Amino acid sequence: MNFIKPTIRPRRLRKNKEIRDLVQQNNIHKNDIVYPMFIVEGKNIKQAIKSMPDINRLSIDLTIKEIEKLFKKGIKGFALFPYNDISLKDEKGTQSTNSNNLINRAIREIKKQIPECVIFADVALDPYTTHGHDGVCDEKGNVLNDETVEILTKQSIELAKSGADFVCPSDMMDARIINIRNALDNSGFENTGIMSYAVKYASGFYGPFRDAVGSNNLLKGDKKTYQMNPANKKEALIEAKLDVQEGADIIMIKPGMPYLDVISQTKQEINNPVAVYQVSGEYSMLKNMIDSGDLSDDVIMESIICFKRAGADIIFTYFAPQIIDIID
Ligand code: PBG
């Protein structure tokens, strides 16, 4: 048999690490990473979250210490979520607009200590409602759009007042971006940004997060009347483009790994920065397998670089502390 020698040898560019590094097409930089954190009332409190190995709810003082440490290492962005005691929750999520609630106090204190860190503050009612929905409901349990948007606008103004750099509506109500932008501008917060969770799928991968913010046992029904159907791709463009028109500065897609096609499509179609959230379930899945030894921790960077390859500019990930040490 006559052997046919390769005329083109792509393996040349994989010959050694130095060459591979030189031709690498995507890179993770510390500037790209945002660390989501859970905050709890009290002092010197560190509570493990059962479904999220190595992730803790921290009191404000410990949150500040953690942010200081990571900020020094180069992580600039932090996304904050409050864990509220059930006694603070009601049907209407009243505490969401209280300027002295846990999240507003946390933002003020963090900004006092580390003014340069970039704070992304979630806008939605689920940490505050007894039914676990992101909005208010009628007597039949339907999540009401316009009534919810009114509350979200007030919640956003309080977060902006406390010093949030970006308010981040994660509720998926219609027309919340234009109303929040308008309210911020009319209240003197024209420099507070909006990162919209514009393309948020009704995903099973949020399970551990709901454990972390204490809404998992409360949720009545599901979020499918506002979050998107995982089967739909074009609809993502309707949501993303609407939110850009309405005034969003950054467009978020979430979850991450199951929706790489959506990231890629969105990046091609809009000019604003695109963020992706590697959500709690994605994190815990990988982390459990790494901890059991069944996967090597190479999967951390592999699961992050795929977001860059798909076109994401900013990556929210619970692996942020590990990533910063790996790329250092
Ligand atoms: C709720 C919110 C959720 C997440 C961020 N904001 C969960 C949900 O919609 O139920 C999920 C993040 C994660 O799973 O890590 N407003």
Side-chain angles (χ1 to χ4, degrees):
M1 247 232 320
N2 215 358
F3 177 69
I4 299 168
K5 274 176 87 76
T7 48
I8 298 172
R9 293 183 183 267
R11 284 189 58 194
R12 263 184 226 125
L13 295 182
R14 300 181 208 129
K15 193 166 68 183
N16 59 41
K17 181 169 186 312
E18 290 66 30
I19 293 175
R20 287 194 300 273
D21 284 353
L22 275 167
V23 300
Q24 179 158 326
Q25 296 174 354
N26 291 285
N27 287 287
I28 300 292
H29 193 274
K30 8 187 188 199
N31 291 347
D32 308 326
I33 303 290
V34 174
Y35 188 38
M37 301 180 77
F38 301 105
I39 302 178
V40 68
E41 201 67 69
K43 274 219 156 60
N44 203 22
I45 307 272
K46 183 173 170 177
Q47 288 176 352
I49 300 161
K50 200 174 99 285
S51 54
M52 298 185 76
D54 280 4
I55 302 291
N56 300 293
R57 299 184 196 108
L58 300 177
S59 50
I60 297 178
D61 52 334
L62 296 189
T63 306
I64 291 174
K65 281 199 183 131
E66 185 73 6
I67 293 182
E68 256 166 1
K69 193 174 90 193
L70 292 170
F71 188 75
K72 269 197 201 121
K73 290 187 181 187
I75 294 187
K76 303 191 168 61
F78 300 87
L80 306 180
F81 301 93
Y83 173 88
N84 293 312
D85 190 75
I86 183 80
S87 64
L88 291 170
K89 303 187 184 191
D90 60 23
E91 292 272 311
K92 289 198 165 354
T94 313
Q95 283 303 315
S96 62
T97 56
N98 181 339
S99 53
N100 279 320
N101 68 17
L102 177 60
I103 194 71
N104 282 305
R105 277 182 282 123
I107 295 172
R108 286 196 290 270
E109 291 188 36
I110 293 166
K111 277 294 191 177
K112 203 156 60 184
Q113 301 299 326
I114 319 144
E116 306 85 3
C117 75
V118 182
I119 296 295
F120 294 86
D122 207 66
V123 175
L125 301 188
D126 55 323
Y128 303 97
T129 53
T130 39
H131 43 68
H133 278 294
D134 292 15
V136 287
C137 303
D138 67 11
E139 37 327 312
K140 290 197 185 113
N142 300 309
V143 176
L144 299 168
N145 194 86
D146 302 6
E147 290 79 352
T148 298
V149 170
E150 230 183 283
I151 305 174
L152 299 175
T153 341
K154 294 190 185 126
Q155 184 185 19
S156 302
I157 290 181
E158 292 307 328
L159 294 166
K161 262 190 209 157
S162 298
D165 298 278
F166 288 89
V167 293
C168 311
S170 72
D171 54 285
M172 289 294 280
M173 297 301 122
D174 294 332
R176 86 266 209 226
I177 301 301
I178 195 169
N179 280 289
I180 291 172
R181 185 68 272 157
N182 188 43
L184 289 173
D185 291 352
N186 289 331
S187 316
F189 295 108
E190 47 283 280
N191 290 323
T192 303
I194 300 179
M195 189 199 71
S196 173
Y197 289 90
V199 183
K200 179 170 180 180
Y201 285 93
S203 171
F205 288 100
Y206 306 145
F209 173 95
R210 292 178 190 167
D211 180 18
V213 299
S215 69
N216 52 338
N217 299 322
L218 300 176
L219 184 62
K220 293 209 170 65
D222 56 46
K223 300 191 177 183
K224 292 181 184 169
T225 69
Y226 42 108
Q227 299 179 352
M228 279 179 50
N229 181 345
N232 296 354
K233 183 166 171 178
K234 283 277 185 193
E235 192 182 346
L237 282 181
I238 298 181
E239 288 287 2
K241 286 182 176 175
L242 253 180
D243 285 3
V244 168
Q245 272 169 27
E246 290 185 22
D249 301 287
I250 302 173
I251 293 297
M252 160 73 85
I253 292 157
K254 142 184 205 206
M257 222 147 74
Y259 298 95
L260 294 174
D261 57 328
V262 179
I263 299 170
S264 169
Q265 167 189 262
T266 308
K267 181 65 186 173
Q268 279 166 30
E269 296 276 337
I270 68 168
N271 295 324
N272 294 54
V274 171
V276 57
Y277 201 138
Q278 182 180 49
V279 301
S280 54
E282 298 176 73
Y283 166 81
S284 294
M285 238 173 16
L286 294 173
K287 184 73 174 125
N288 281 320
M289 292 283 280
I290 295 166
D291 289 350
S292 72
D294 292 325
L295 284 178
S296 88
D297 57 10
D298 289 349
V299 296
I300 297 177
M301 291 311 279
E302 190 177 341
S303 74
I304 297 299
I305 199 77
C306 71
F307 298 134
K308 290 305 284 279
R309 210 181 57 236
D313 302 290
I314 305 170
I315 299 160
F316 284 53
T317 173
Y318 300 98
F319 283 119
Q322 280 106 305
I323 292 170
I324 199 81
D325 289 338
I326 295 171
I327 62 183
D328 213 18

